[in-house]
Amino acid sequence: MDAFTTQQTTELVSRIGCKKAHMRLDKLWWNSFMTGPLLGFGCAITLSTETAPWYQDNAPGLIRTIGALFFPIGLVMIVLSGSDLFTSNIMFMTTAFLHRRISIIDLLKNWVISFFGNLAGMLFFMAIITGYGGVFQMAVYKTETINFATMKVVDPGWHQIFLRAIGANWLVCFAVFISISSREIASKIIAIWWPTATFVALGLDHVIANMYFIPMAIWNGHPQITTGYYIWKSMIPTTLGNIIGGGLFVGVAYWYLYLTGEGDVEVDFNTGGIGLAMEAGGPMGRTSQNDKNVIEGQDPIEEKVSHLPHSGGNMTSGISRELSADKYAKRKG
């Protein structure tokens, strides 16, 4: 099983949070700003796909699920480019703070800058690319943007939006979490795709995604939603729910399960090691020195360096330099 263990993944989440806490503020702002349009592409294609009047009337669950299958492209681009998404930063910074690697000031500073950076980038994308660009200028698209926002903001109660937001960022942060456990690109994309599609298919609320959906409806002349109504009825409960969903149910939960009372956690970045396969299947107790195409098993008594078969030489992942223990594994206090 070529993946980091859950404990190693939680350790990496903590190190990533520590790294983000040391990012220059101007870079954090622009990295957050660029995140808005990346997620905006996923939001826009979801709206475009769900603009299907017959399906909305006769099979609303089906068309919402189909649209949800396209949304994760936004989160895939964000994760693979290392962009700063406020809702995933909730998990990163909470874990690093609980692990005593950053201060509460570091946490709040990151959250505030990434939140408003995401907002600025998303509004730029909404207004310039899809607004003035006329992506949704046809009447059928305008109707869908207004109906979508009504379903998100007008119809549900404040407490319902808050509770839906807990579920949304629980799934988003879990998607990012398991993508970190993956060692190569294809696995990361698969890991991100399905939890993210699930939250969209269920109609849960994500504060950064709603920064596209709701302003787009306002842009197209929604008769009930104003800026103030959007902030009170959607942005505030969604933000609070997302903090609980990502911070408590992922950040706090996995920190408690895998980092408390465990001492220092070693992370092996060597892509040729069999330690993780051994953990999953137990000692193989066999060796092969002659045939290089089969696994060199690890003797359970003697300490040996063993490797899984691979197409080239042993390699160390570049992430080992980015998230080395020497740089980001030290704790405060």
Side-chain angles (χ1 to χ4, degrees), residues 20 31 34-35 38 77-79 81-85 88-89:
K20 288 180 179 293
N31 204 36
M34 294 300 294
T35 301
L38 295 181
M77 292 189 290
I78 289 167
V79 171
S81 65
S83 301
D84 275 278
L85 179 66
S88 60
N89 281 357

Side-chain angles (χ1 to χ4, degrees), residues 205-217:
D205 283 278
H206 185 269
V207 65
I208 308 303
N210 283 356
M211 289 174 182
Y212 180 83
F213 293 131
I214 314 307
M216 190 74 248

Side-chain angles (χ1 to χ4, degrees), residues 43-57 60 63-64 67 136 138-152 213-214 216-217 220 222:
C43 296
I45 195 171
T46 300
L47 277 179
S48 178
T49 304
E50 292 196 28
T51 305
W54 186 90
Y55 283 95
Q56 292 291 357
D57 293 335
I63 192 60
R64 189 163 74 175
F136 297 118
M138 292 176 58
V140 66
Y141 286 122
K142 287 185 177 181
T143 300
E144 174 58 25
T145 61
I146 291 172
N147 291 342
F148 194 94
T150 299
M151 178 188 67
K152 283 284 186 184
F213 293 131
I214 314 307
M216 190 74 248
N220 284 331
H222 196 291

Side-chain angles (χ1 to χ4, degrees), residues 12 19 57 75-76 82 108 133 168 187 206 224 253 272 281 330:
L12 289 175
K19 179 182 178 182
D57 293 335
L75 190 59
V76 167
L108 294 175
S187 297
H206 185 269
Q224 296 172 274
K330 297 178 180 178

Side-chain angles (χ1 to χ4, degrees), residues 315-329:
M315 297 180 293
T316 300
S317 169
I319 196 174
S320 63
R321 294 187 294 273
E322 288 293 316
L323 299 175
S324 66
D326 292 338
K327 294 175 68 175
Y328 299 115

Side-chain angles (χ1 to χ4, degrees), residues 279-317:
E279 177 177 313
M284 284 177 263
R286 59 186 174 85
T287 60
S288 175
Q289 300 296 332
N290 299 322
D291 188 351
K292 297 302 182 181
N293 293 320
V294 299
I295 295 174
E296 294 180 26
Q298 181 170 317
D299 191 297
I301 299 176
E302 297 182 13
E303 290 295 328
K304 294 183 179 181
V305 178
S306 303
H307 303 283
L308 288 173
H310 49 77
S311 58
N314 295 330
M315 297 180 293
T316 300
S317 169

